[in-house]
Amino acid sequence: MLAHDRIEPKWIDMFEEAFALCAVQRGEVAAILSESQSRRILVELAELALSRMGARIYHLIVPTPRASQVVPVRSTGASTALGGVKQIIDAVAGANLVIDCTIEGLLHSPERKDILARGARIFMISNEHPELLERFKPNPELQRRCVAGAQMISAAKTMQVISPAGTDLRVDLVDVQGRGSAGLADRPGMMGYWPAGLCLCFPKKGSVNGTLVLAPGDVNLTFKRYVESPVRCTIENDAILEIEGAGLDAELLRSYFSAWNDPLAYTVSHIGWGMNPGARWDSLVMYDKADLNGTELRAFAGNFLYSTGANETAGRYTDCHFDMPMRHCTVLLDDRAVVRDGMLQAPLS
């Protein structure tokens, strides 16, 4: 375990710097949203930093919901803590800025759209120990490159992903909107998250087909473990139809997926690539599972990120979610490489 959760002055400084990049102004109203089981040090650091900056602060703390599934749920980015309750949504949406300290975060939660539509902006702090957050903060230059990558996705008609391990995936991108973020939430209706640095999209229904091969050193972030034996997934019309592999990694995937008894659990959520040069692929070995949420590994530069679960673009909703950053892949947009053998290419590098 990391050292006990003592408030460190450097961490208050770090939060203040991140909030400054989200355009926090003296006198504006900030809501700190958390759950009864949220990481308290993040809530306290947010309050202290916002107080230094002269913001008007209020806390909204909701009970952490009871488990609703037969399996543990982790790293979904879709907190259920608000439960669609209008009074809670109203109380949050009335702020200029919402600091999201819920355990899973509002990134994929249905309430997010309503809160942003009312003019609030949301800054989601991933459920990480502050020591990990210390190596990141929102980055305007990285934001510019992430937005450029998102525009390239929006302009492309196809994505192909290949790897030496055997991945050969094709995605129809016609009329698909790219997204890119390095964590800024500096305008009304904008959402940022910390840490960040991704270009991605939510593919439309029936647009993803091919083979996905997880190789040793790729990452299963829901399980917070590195893949140690090859896993071959056959994908047709967005859904994983077969999971092949003789090792423990394939067996764990088959077991977890089947426990949901939900065909939508096997379907694609979002796909894209990591942009953050400060994020490290190897950092997972340095932390106990309780100390991190794995967000850093979603963003390390040059990874191909394949995710399963909820996809509002395709009209699919499920609480089962996997984020699987993969190394050594080549990502092509209309035959132009944006990532080659796990390395970002110009103009994104």
Side-chain angles (χ1 to χ4, degrees):
M1 292 288 290
L2 291 168
H4 66 281
D5 287 344
R6 175 186 182 271
I7 294 288
E8 298 286 349
K10 62 177 180 176
W11 290 339
I12 306 175
D13 294 340
M14 170 182 74
F15 271 58
E16 188 172 354
E17 291 165 5
F19 294 157
L21 289 170
C22 291
V24 171
Q25 302 295 316
R26 177 172 295 276
E28 79 170 324
V29 178
I32 302 175
L33 174 65
S34 64
E35 303 175 41
S36 53
Q37 290 297 314
S38 288
R39 197 183 295 268
R40 300 316 303 170
I41 192 169
L42 300 179
V43 176
E44 292 166 8
L45 287 168
E47 178 184 333
L48 291 169
L50 289 168
S51 295
R52 273 189 187 178
M53 302 174 80
R56 302 295 300 272
I57 306 162
Y58 66 94
H59 287 273
L60 186 60
I61 306 171
V62 295
T64 296
R66 67 183 300 171
S68 60
Q69 303 293 343
V70 297
V71 289
V73 178
R74 295 288 186 274
S75 301
T76 66
S79 173
T80 59
L82 274 62
V85 178
K86 180 181 181 300
Q87 290 86 343
I88 298 176
I89 296 169
D90 290 344
V92 175
N96 303 117
L97 171 67
V98 178
I99 304 300
D100 176 15
C101 293
T102 59
I103 296 171
E104 294 293 342
L106 298 178
L107 187 60
H108 303 309
S109 295
E111 296 89 355
R112 171 187 59 86
K113 185 180 295 185
D114 193 6
I115 295 169
L116 295 177
R118 302 192 201 183
R121 63 196 194 277
I122 301 173
F123 186 61
M124 178 182 125
I125 302 175
S126 185
N127 187 34
E128 319 276 1
H129 194 280
E131 182 193 277
L132 190 148
L133 296 173
E134 202 172 337
R135 293 184 289 113
F136 303 91
K137 65 181 178 183
N139 183 321
E141 171 56 24
L142 182 57
Q143 177 79 9
R144 183 193 65 76
R145 290 192 286 118
C146 288
V147 170
Q151 291 170 342
M152 293 173 72
I153 294 174
S154 298
K157 295 181 179 179
T158 62
M159 177 190 292
Q160 183 181 12
V161 185
I162 57 177
S163 78
T167 291
D168 189 354
L169 200 67
R170 292 182 179 272
V171 185
D172 179 358
L173 293 180
V174 174
D175 297 326
V176 170
Q177 183 69 42
R179 304 183 187 185
S181 177
L184 273 68
D186 57 358
R187 299 189 304 276
M190 190 173 184
M191 179 163 191
Y193 45 93
W194 185 21
L198 285 169
C199 297
L200 56 81
C201 66
F202 289 81
K204 61 188 177 183
K205 187 175 181 179
S207 63
V208 182
N209 293 276
T211 303
L212 188 81
V213 181
L214 301 173
D218 294 339
V219 193
N220 182 327
L221 286 180
T222 298
F223 293 167
K224 298 181 184 177
R225 60 178 275 143
Y226 292 103
V227 173
E228 297 183 4
S229 55
V231 181
R232 183 183 183 89
C233 299
T234 301
I235 299 168
E236 292 184 12
N237 293 324
D238 303 345
I240 296 174
L241 298 186
E242 292 185 81
I243 301 173
E244 301 174 273
L248 178 61
D249 295 289
E251 187 175 350
L252 284 170
L253 269 180
R254 287 191 292 261
S255 176
Y256 189 84
F257 270 130
S258 65
W260 287 83
N261 194 29
D262 179 5
L264 296 183
Y266 294 86
T267 56
V268 65
S269 174
H270 53 81
I271 57 174
W273 62 86
M275 290 285 293
N276 196 325
R280 295 198 57 88
W281 156 76
D282 55 9
S283 65
L284 194 63
V285 299
M286 304 303 294
Y287 298 94
D288 290 342
K289 287 187 177 182
D291 289 325
L292 85 166
N293 197 32
T295 312
E296 174 180 1
L297 281 85
R298 294 170 174 83
F300 72 85
N303 86 75
F304 170 63
L305 180 65
Y306 189 87
S307 302
T308 62
N311 179 342
E312 63 183 38
T313 299
R316 297 190 295 255
Y317 299 92
T318 175
D319 288 336
C320 181
H321 187 75
F322 278 98
D323 280 322
M324 295 180 283
M326 301 166 60
R327 302 185 301 154
H328 308 312
C329 291
T330 293
V331 181
L332 303 160
L333 297 179
D334 292 341
D335 299 322
R336 176 185 181 180
V338 290
V339 177
R340 188 176 297 279
D341 299 325
M343 301 292 293
L344 288 172
Q345 303 296 293
L348 302 181
S349 58

